Amino acid sequence: MTRPAMESDLLREPQRTRQNTALLLIDFQRDFCDAGGYADELFGSQWAREVVPPARLLLDAARSSGLCIVHTREGYSSDLSDCSLQRRIRSHRGGAGIGALGPLGRFLIRGERGHGFVPDLMPRASEIVIDKASYGAFVRTPLEACLRQRGIEHLYFSGVTADVCVHTTLREATDRGFFCHYVRDAISTFDSQLRAACERMVGVEGGVWGRLIDTAQAIRDFECLSGATSP
C-alpha cells in the first residue's frame, strides 16, 4: 500500500517561474535616497544610497530573466488633499513636513524633483509604476490587479524604508496570499537596529512574512527560472 499523503507533502509553495515571479522596487526616490531630500532632512540618506547598487543588480538580473518589474513611488498632490491630517502632523513633528520646501522641491509632492526615481533605478516603459499616497503599495492602487492579471505569485522585495513602506507592503502582500522574498541587503532604513529587527521579523513562525535572502541568492533564483518551472 502507498503511504498516505502527509500534510507536508501537500503544502508546497508554487514553483517559481518567469511568468509568476516579480521584483518590487519600493520607493527608490530622490526624496529618500539623495542629499537634500525628505529623508536626508530627518536623518541623512547615506543608508539609502548604500542599497541602490544591490537593487540595481537585482533589477538587471530581473530584466535579463524577463520578469515582471514594479516600481513604487510615494507622493501626494500639491494641495495635500490626499495626505491625511495625521500624516501631516506626524511629518511636521518629525522634522520634515510633507509639502515643505527643500532643496529638491516640496517634500514628497508629485511632480517635484525629489519625487522622481534615482537615476540608477529608472523604470523602463514596459515596467509597472505604482504611485501611492500611502505607505503600503496595495492601498487604493491598481497593484494587486496588475499582479493578478499577470499570474504573479512570488514577489521579491527591495527598497526603502524597511520599517515603513517596505514592511507595510510586505504585510499587505502576505495578507493577499503572495509568496514574499525579502532581499535583506537591498532593503534598508536609517537605524541599524530597526533594519535588523525588520529582517528578524520575516523568518519567525515558519516565515510569517516570507523568506529572508540576500541579493546573491535572489540573482541565483532568477537565473534558475525557466519559462515553465524553476528547478
Side-chain angles (χ1 to χ4, degrees):
M1 295 179 64
T2 59
R3 179 177 62 88
M6 301 295 289
E7 184 179 19
S8 60
D9 295 330
L10 301 174
L11 295 175
R12 295 185 179 182
E13 293 184 7
Q15 289 183 302
R16 296 183 296 274
T17 72
R18 291 175 182 169
Q19 288 74 31
N20 73 2
T21 301
L23 172 66
L24 266 63
L25 297 163
I26 297 176
D27 296 4
F28 280 111
Q29 302 162 238
R30 287 190 162 106
D31 259 332
F32 293 116
C33 300
D34 283 1
Y38 168 81
D40 197 49
E41 181 79 5
L42 291 171
F43 28 63
S45 54
Q46 180 59 32
W47 56 272
R49 287 194 293 276
E50 289 173 355
V51 295
V52 170
R56 180 56 195 253
L57 292 175
L58 288 173
L59 179 58
D60 289 344
R63 285 171 171 168
S64 295
S65 295
L67 303 188
C68 173
I69 296 167
V70 179
H71 306 256
T72 76
R73 183 168 53 181
E74 181 183 351
Y76 304 88
S77 64
S78 60
D79 64 1
L80 298 179
S81 59
D82 53 0
C83 186
S84 69
L85 177 62
Q86 181 276 339
R87 192 161 298 188
R88 298 200 304 272
I89 292 171
R90 191 276 310 159
S91 65
H92 279 279
R93 188 169 59 229
I98 293 172
L101 185 63
L104 303 181
R106 296 175 66 201
F107 294 139
L108 295 176
I109 298 300
R110 292 192 295 272
E112 299 284 347
R113 187 178 174 214
H115 182 248
F117 294 107
V118 297
D120 285 348
L121 299 172
M122 290 292 291
R124 291 180 176 173
S126 60
E127 296 167 358
I128 299 167
V129 174
I130 298 293
D131 279 306
K132 58 189 180 72
S134 56
Y135 300 139
F138 286 89
V139 177
R140 299 185 299 276
T141 76
L143 177 56
E144 183 173 7
C146 289
L147 297 175
R148 300 293 187 202
Q149 289 166 4
R150 291 164 174 77
I152 300 299
E153 297 176 279
H154 290 275
L155 301 177
Y156 282 72
F157 281 76
S158 172
V160 295
T161 59
D163 51 321
V164 183
C165 292
V166 175
H167 247 268
T168 303
T169 304
L170 176 75
R171 291 166 186 240
E172 290 176 341
T174 301
D175 271 348
R176 287 162 173 78
F178 292 99
F179 294 89
C180 298
H181 308 264
Y182 189 95
V183 188
R184 61 192 302 171
D185 57 341
I187 297 170
S188 192
T189 190
F190 69 97
D191 183 294
S192 61
Q193 291 182 328
L194 280 176
R195 177 177 178 173
C198 288
E199 294 172 6
R200 287 182 60 199
M201 283 188 282
V202 172
V204 299
E205 299 180 49
V208 64
W209 304 121
R211 171 180 173 234
L212 188 64
I213 59 173
D214 61 15
T215 297
Q217 180 61 61
I219 291 173
R220 288 195 294 270
D221 288 354
F222 296 167
E223 291 173 345
C224 287
L225 300 179
S226 71
T229 60
S230 62

